[in-house]
Amino acid sequence: MNKLLKRTLIFSFIAIIPLFITNVLFPVNYWTSRNWEALMTYAVPNAILGPFYANYSCNKNEKGDLALHTNYSIYKNCKWVTDEIGYRNNKYKKDAEILFLGDSFIVGTSLSQEETLSNLYQKYTSKSTYQVAPTSEFYLFYELLKDHVVNPPKVVVFAIVERDIPFLKELKKSKIDNNIHKLKLKVQRNLFKYNFTNFIFSSVDRLVKNSFLSWLKNNVSLASTPLGIQSKKDPKMFFMQGEKAEIKYNQNKIDSIVIAISSYNEFCKARNIEFVFLPCPNKESLYYDYAGLDKQPDFLHKLHIALKERGIKTINLLEKFNVEKNNQLLYHYDDTHWNSKTSHIVTQELISCLYQK
């Protein structure tokens, strides 16, 4: 029995050597098409506060998420830096003046570090900024405040992509109380500001994630079908949902969404925090004719009017984009996210919104 056990251990050790070499000794983003997949926690996502490995800095010529394994992929040089609690920031800030909260558009997917909304806003205004993303749940902001991970900022910018807006839920005390313990556990176990602990965690996570195996499967496969939907009007243009991206709604649905967003606004107002809701248009809504739609969806327009009637500060990006798209491409051809030029446009719109008299 001892011999069998010994042989099993030796065999297991030998078998894990190539996995260790390919997944741990190679650069963290060597086998992935984007930094996002390379740095995203996989095996134990709740072991660290943020969603990414802490204290990492890396560069990569990324490909978009929609046209992988095709001739339409476009390389984008992207630098990523994560802070000591696992969010995509140059450094952890507890006392930022402007807090950016939201999904992948706040993370800055397909953008280099200096092109994220948070970094651009700080560059243009000299205001201290910090981003917490990706998340589509506003209650995370309450959790961060409750556990003193961040102090109350002057402004919270909450950004959500159009397709996820109908799923926003009203912020209720019971919802908050039921989720607060989850963050406490993560904070108590968050030792990853120490480089050695962070290295051990990320190494184990990378072994389990096994990006090399994913790369191998994708590259030996004979299939070259893209993940996205290719435009019939322009083969270079890809979409995430195509015609299905159009949101079907009625007045009751608009009212429900407004109630949810109003609860976020009231939460901030009670703490003397200015709230800004930033709806990020679907790529399909902007380039609707390329996505196979007969006309531009008006969901964001209707929602904008309803939010303004409730006194909620918001920005109609789709209206702005409709003007700008005649002069330049605003979203990446092969990705569902906007490009660096658009990030600058959105930042300027935010500045105008927050500084308007």
Side-chain angles (χ1 to χ4, degrees):
M1 185 66 181
N2 289 336
K3 288 184 178 181
L4 178 61
L5 179 60
K6 185 182 293 185
R7 289 175 180 175
T8 302
L9 290 174
I10 293 174
F11 177 79
S12 299
F13 179 76
I14 294 174
I16 204 172
I17 288 177
L19 291 178
F20 181 83
I21 292 174
T22 52
N23 287 291
V24 178
L25 297 187
F26 276 67
V28 66
N29 57 2
Y30 190 86
W31 303 110
T32 62
S33 59
R34 302 186 303 176
N35 290 308
W36 175 292
E37 287 82 8
L39 297 178
M40 178 71 74
T41 56
Y42 176 82
V44 194
N46 289 329
I48 190 169
L49 183 58
F52 304 108
Y53 300 154
N55 288 327
Y56 263 84
S57 178
C58 56
N59 289 273
K60 187 173 185 65
N61 278 326
E62 296 187 352
K63 296 178 181 179
D65 61 349
L66 301 178
L68 289 175
H69 318 303
T70 74
N71 294 328
Y72 296 102
S73 290
I74 301 172
Y75 284 102
K76 313 156 192 67
N77 187 264
C78 294
K79 178 182 179 180
W80 271 57
V81 178
T82 59
D83 61 30
E84 68 183 54
I85 63 172
Y87 286 108
R88 192 186 181 189
N89 297 283
N90 295 337
K91 61 180 180 179
Y92 168 54
K93 296 177 188 174
K94 190 175 183 178
D95 294 298
E97 295 177 81
I98 317 291
L99 184 86
F100 287 82
L101 181 74
D103 56 22
S104 56
F105 282 85
I106 291 297
V107 173
T109 304
S110 78
L111 298 175
S112 195
Q113 189 82 4
E114 70 278 3
E115 297 167 341
T116 66
L117 293 182
S118 176
N119 281 330
L120 284 178
Y121 194 97
Q122 180 167 292
K123 174 184 175 181
Y124 287 135
T125 66
S126 297
K127 300 287 186 182
S128 176
T129 63
Y130 189 73
Q131 69 173 39
V132 176
T135 183
S136 59
E137 298 285 354
F138 187 83
Y139 75 75
L140 176 61
F141 176 49
Y142 175 87
E143 294 178 334
L144 295 171
L145 290 176
K146 183 75 172 180
D147 280 289
H148 307 290
V149 177
V150 298
N151 290 328
K154 292 182 179 179
V155 180
V156 167
V157 177
F158 184 47
I160 295 293
V161 69
E162 178 182 350
R163 60 180 168 269
D164 289 337
I165 292 176
F167 302 103
L168 293 176
K169 302 296 182 183
E170 184 180 359
L171 190 69
K172 296 181 179 179
K173 188 65 166 59
S174 58
K175 173 76 172 178
I176 292 172
D177 288 341
N178 287 336
N179 286 279
I180 188 62
H181 71 282
K182 296 179 182 178
L183 184 80
K184 286 182 177 178
L185 287 175
K186 286 190 283 187
V187 171
Q188 289 167 3
R189 293 183 304 203
N190 183 34
L191 302 174
F192 300 102
K193 60 184 177 181
Y194 303 111
N195 290 332
F196 178 74
T197 313
N198 185 39
F199 172 76
I200 295 299
F201 166 76
S202 61
S203 296
V204 172
D205 194 82
R206 290 167 66 182
L207 274 173
V208 177
K209 186 190 297 184
N210 203 348
S211 296
F212 169 71
L213 181 60
S214 298
W215 175 88
L216 196 62
K217 288 179 179 178
N218 291 330
N219 283 273
V220 300
S221 173
L222 297 178
S224 59
T225 304
L227 297 176
I229 299 172
Q230 192 171 25
S231 170
K232 294 179 181 178
K233 185 175 180 180
D234 185 348
K236 298 191 301 295
M237 184 79 78
F238 288 79
F239 297 94
M240 181 176 181
Q241 295 175 302
E243 297 177 28
K244 296 180 180 180
E246 184 174 9
I247 296 173
K248 308 299 182 182
Y249 69 91
N250 53 32
Q251 191 57 47
N252 288 337
K253 188 61 180 177
I254 293 290
D255 292 342
S256 174
I257 296 169
V258 171
I259 289 173
I261 298 172
S262 295
S263 71
Y264 312 152
N265 184 55
E266 291 302 315
F267 175 86
C268 291
K269 188 177 180 180
R271 291 158 179 80
N272 295 315
I273 300 171
E274 189 172 2
F275 174 80
V276 179
F277 182 65
L278 187 69
C280 305
N282 288 337
K283 185 179 179 180
E284 289 89 343
S285 292
L286 181 60
Y287 297 106
Y288 64 93
D289 46 342
Y290 288 81
L293 296 171
D294 294 329
K295 60 181 181 179
Q296 188 169 63
D298 63 352
F299 169 72
L300 288 181
H301 176 68
K302 296 292 185 183
L303 179 62
H304 181 77
I305 293 174
L307 290 173
K308 297 296 285 188
E309 289 176 350
R310 290 289 292 265
I312 296 172
K313 190 165 285 190
T314 184
I315 301 174
N316 192 344
L317 287 181
L318 185 58
E319 183 177 69
K320 177 67 175 178
F321 289 177
N322 280 334
V323 176
E324 296 291 338
K325 75 175 182 179
N326 296 320
N327 304 317
Q328 57 190 321
L329 182 70
L330 299 180
Y331 285 63
H332 291 290
Y333 277 117
D334 64 336
D335 198 282
T336 193
H337 300 92
W338 58 49
N339 58 34
S340 60
K341 294 178 181 178
T342 309
S343 193
H344 283 265
I345 292 171
V346 175
T347 303
Q348 292 296 343
E349 288 297 299
L350 276 170
I351 292 172
S352 298
C353 176
L354 289 170
Y355 283 89
Q356 66 185 4
K357 301 296 183 183

